Amino acid sequence: MTSLAELSQIESNRNTGGAQKARILAVDDTPDILMLLKLLLGLDYDVTTATSGDEAINAVKDKTFDLIILDVMMPGLSGFETLQRLQLLPNFGTTPVIFLTAADDAANELHGLGLGAHDYIAKPFKPSLLLLRINNIVQRITIQKELSSALNSRAKSEERLRFVMEATGEGIWDWLVASDSLINNASWCRIVGLDEHKLEHSMAFVKSLIHPEDLELVSRALDACLDHDEPLAIEHRVRHANGHYVWVEKKGRVVERSEDGTAVRMVCSVRDISERKKMEAEYRRLALFDPLTGLPNRRLLIDRLQQTISQYRRDGESGAILFIDMDRFKEVNDTYGHDTGDQLLIEVGRRLSACIRTSDTVARLGGDEFVVMLTQLHEDREANKGYAAKVAQKILESLGKPYHLGPVVCSSSPSIGLVMFSGTEGETVDSLIRNADTVMYEAKQSGRNSLRIAD
């Protein structure tokens, strides 16, 4: 059949060089890395190099690329800043980006993926693995372009279109807007758990699968695509036939309009990104929460405290910081072992959480140090100080009770430093935590199991 023959020719052209080479922009401030990338990719791709974010921006202003490989840590513009500026350029469009960097911590990877990068690969990298990932991305983009071309050509048969749609490995639907009829491929059915042999549905049915919390967002994006010719690029949840929801990434555009500009036909690719979303959630948990106690960590505390200081600077309200250090924790660790010490810290976190309101924050800074941030207090600063002191006394009483940790019963008590804050000039996150730490140390020096309030 001609459709199979044509599809085979597409693959043959890609493998033999009959088609134009895909263009890749490699951006890195290390010449050796750029040389390695050119050697690795030069036979199969048209590779352009840039040594800075500014050079990359100028390159994309001049021409389009099929893929951008971008270092994160560069002098001047970082890779993250470069990507954000590239996304504003007409030539960038939806160009896939791979971050290739030595900054391989979870927070940076989460941030990079959140900016829209397709992949995040740590240095030193395995050349074979990098090449495989690049080939997969470029092949997918190439087939999507062929799909768009096929859709715009009425001479192409629907059967050939179906083969191309399946070749992407992604869900695809082709929407005839006026009739509300939607033709889909089997991959789309697999994503939502429907019969793979039923390849036509209505748009009304497709919308009924969208999570209620996401429906308005998706509807606005579709309207913008139909009415203003904006490309569709959105992530949302859809209901699987088994009842659970899966995360999908949709990319599409109007491929046919009538003489008066009305949208006639729209095509969209649908990719299951549930695993990526799980990974992002896990990265966020690791980046912002203490893995032992599940409490916010230093990073998240600093972020919340900074936002609160800025708010109080505008509104004139006040809050309190309680810096808590567990007395003789090292003795518990040394006597009963680290497992028991960890159990004690988990119990401390639980008791602290029980002493405060949901609007407040308990964070573990590390070791046996915790911080409680009290917010949404009264306007009167002295009344707030009295309330904060009562909470501190409640914490003293709660944390001073014996700890039943499996077969072990042990004791520990807190030393607490209390500092009030209201966002006045000169108050910073660092100064507040440092001051609270200082008065906590004074409480510990005075005999432990006590509270010291800053003047």
Side-chain angles (χ1 to χ4, degrees), residues 219-233 252-255 257 263 266-267:
S219 297
R220 286 202 308 266
L222 284 172
D223 289 343
C225 188
L226 297 176
D227 299 337
H228 307 294
D229 212 25
E230 294 183 11
L232 179 71
R253 56 171 296 183
V254 173
V255 297
R257 291 185 179 274
M266 179 182 176
V267 174

Side-chain angles (χ1 to χ4, degrees), residues 92-139:
F92 181 81
T94 57
T95 305
V97 171
I98 294 177
F99 278 121
L100 185 66
T101 176
D104 63 345
D105 60 284
N108 272 311
E109 183 170 357
L110 177 62
H111 185 50
L113 294 174
L115 291 176
H118 280 59
D119 209 340
Y120 193 102
I121 301 175
K123 299 176 184 175
F125 57 87
K126 293 182 178 179
S128 58
L129 178 60
L130 176 64
L131 184 59
L132 177 62
R133 292 189 180 184
I134 290 173
N135 288 342
N136 287 341
I137 291 176
V138 172
Q139 185 178 30

Side-chain angles (χ1 to χ4, degrees), residues 159-191:
E159 185 178 5
R160 178 186 185 279
L161 175 59
R162 184 80 66 192
F163 277 110
V164 177
M165 288 166 74
E166 285 300 329
T168 65
E170 297 182 349
I172 303 286
W173 51 250
D174 179 9
W175 178 25
L176 302 177
V177 180
S179 66
D180 202 42
S181 174
L182 185 145
I183 301 171
N184 53 268
N185 65 351
S187 295
W188 181 83
C189 293
R190 284 192 291 271
I191 290 173

Side-chain angles (χ1 to χ4, degrees), residues 23 25 56-68 83 85-97 145:
R23 290 184 290 198
L25 174 63
I57 291 169
N58 289 331
V60 175
K61 285 180 180 178
D62 292 337
K63 63 180 180 179
T64 60
F65 293 91
D66 297 287
L67 175 69
I68 297 175
L83 175 55
R85 296 196 185 186
L86 288 174
Q87 289 169 336
L88 301 176
L89 300 179
N91 278 350
F92 181 81
T94 57
T95 305
V97 171
K145 287 180 179 178

